[in-house]
Amino acid sequence: STANAPEDDAPNRYSRTERTVYGRYSRDANSSGSSLPSNALEKRIEELERELAKERQENARLMKMAQDKEELIGKLKEEIDLLNR
């Protein structure tokens, strides 16, 4: 169960940063008189958020694979030690 803890924390770890970044972009867009309409920016943000969610899922999957392989390596090392004795 502790192996899944880092993956469970991933959404919480980034949410504050995302809010900060989102706030910064929306302020910049409003203050600079951006040539893109606000709904186009909102659509782009939604698109990037979906892409970010996919990348996080892929990252979690790869982290799990790496962890599983590390556990297998540990078990195999123990087996080698037993066989050498």
Side-chain angles (χ1 to χ4, degrees), residues 13-30:
R13 189 175 21 186
Y14 295 105
S15 61
R16 189 179 311 127
T17 304
E18 287 174 7
R19 284 194 298 268
T20 304
V21 170
Y22 175 76
R24 185 181 316 132
Y25 282 127
S26 63
R27 279 195 307 275
D28 290 348
N30 292 338

Side-chain angles (χ1 to χ4, degrees), residues 22-81:
Y22 175 76
R24 185 181 316 132
Y25 282 127
S26 63
R27 279 195 307 275
D28 290 348
N30 292 338
S31 64
S32 66
S34 175
S35 60
L36 291 174
S38 64
N39 85 354
L41 290 174
E42 288 172 9
K43 285 181 182 178
R44 180 67 177 144
I45 288 169
E46 288 173 6
E47 178 184 319
L48 291 171
E49 286 173 346
R50 283 192 298 271
E51 189 176 327
L52 180 61
K54 287 179 187 175
E55 292 298 327
R56 283 195 182 135
Q57 278 184 327
E58 178 68 3
N59 188 38
R61 187 183 71 79
L62 292 172
M63 296 275 286
K64 174 81 170 103
M65 282 177 56
Q67 185 178 17
D68 291 347
K69 288 182 181 190
E70 286 294 324
E71 289 174 10
L72 179 59
I73 289 169
K75 288 177 185 176
L76 291 173
K77 283 181 179 179
E78 289 175 11
E79 191 172 332
I80 289 170
D81 287 344

